[in-house]
Amino acid sequence: MKHLFARFATKTSEWAGKPAAFILALTVVAIWASLGPFFDYSETWQLIINTGTTIITFLMVFVLQNAQTRDTRAIQAKLNEIILTSHAENRFIGIENLDEEELKRLNQLVAKAAKGRDETEACRVSESTEAANAAPSKKAEGRRRPVAAKAPKQKQRPLEKS
């Protein structure tokens, strides 16, 4: 049942984001509005659109939330894999579980560290990166799958806003 709902949620959210879905909704509203004079803009005429949109909105919240939650989890898993296989700091794995205040504090610390870097530190980071590449780390030795040789990359500042 879970997989059935997950597939339904994915397909529905993909369809709802297409221009055809918007055009269909716009067409329904245009037809409803054009029928207003025939029904003397009665309360029943208004109730039809209010009820229809409320039901659709209520159901779409759950469908879209399910699809978004799964997408977010997949992205987090991919980012964690990138962190684990790069020179990034492992302490950033799992920070999505921190509360809002902890995330703000971490963001401030990282931004402060990014601003405080100068050419001397950049040289030091470059030298330490070269040294780390020369001597295989425990993390690299623990990998189960072969990794293709990569061109040396520059140390990037974590969580820096562009």
Side-chain angles (χ1 to χ4, degrees), residues 38-95:
F38 296 112
F39 292 100
D40 281 334
Y41 301 100
S42 67
E43 287 184 20
T44 304
W45 172 79
Q46 293 177 24
L47 188 62
I48 289 172
I49 196 73
N50 289 340
T51 304
T53 56
T54 301
I55 291 170
I56 290 170
T57 302
F58 180 74
L59 295 175
M60 286 301 288
V61 165
F62 297 103
V63 169
L64 295 176
Q65 186 61 45
N66 177 274
Q68 183 180 15
T69 300
R70 285 183 295 105
D71 286 348
T72 301
R73 285 185 182 146
I75 290 169
Q76 286 302 322
K78 292 173 184 177
L79 290 173
N80 288 345
E81 176 68 11
I82 290 170
I83 290 170
L84 286 171
T85 59
S86 71
H87 295 291
E89 297 183 29
N90 291 346
R91 67 185 172 132
F92 290 109
I93 292 179
I95 65 171

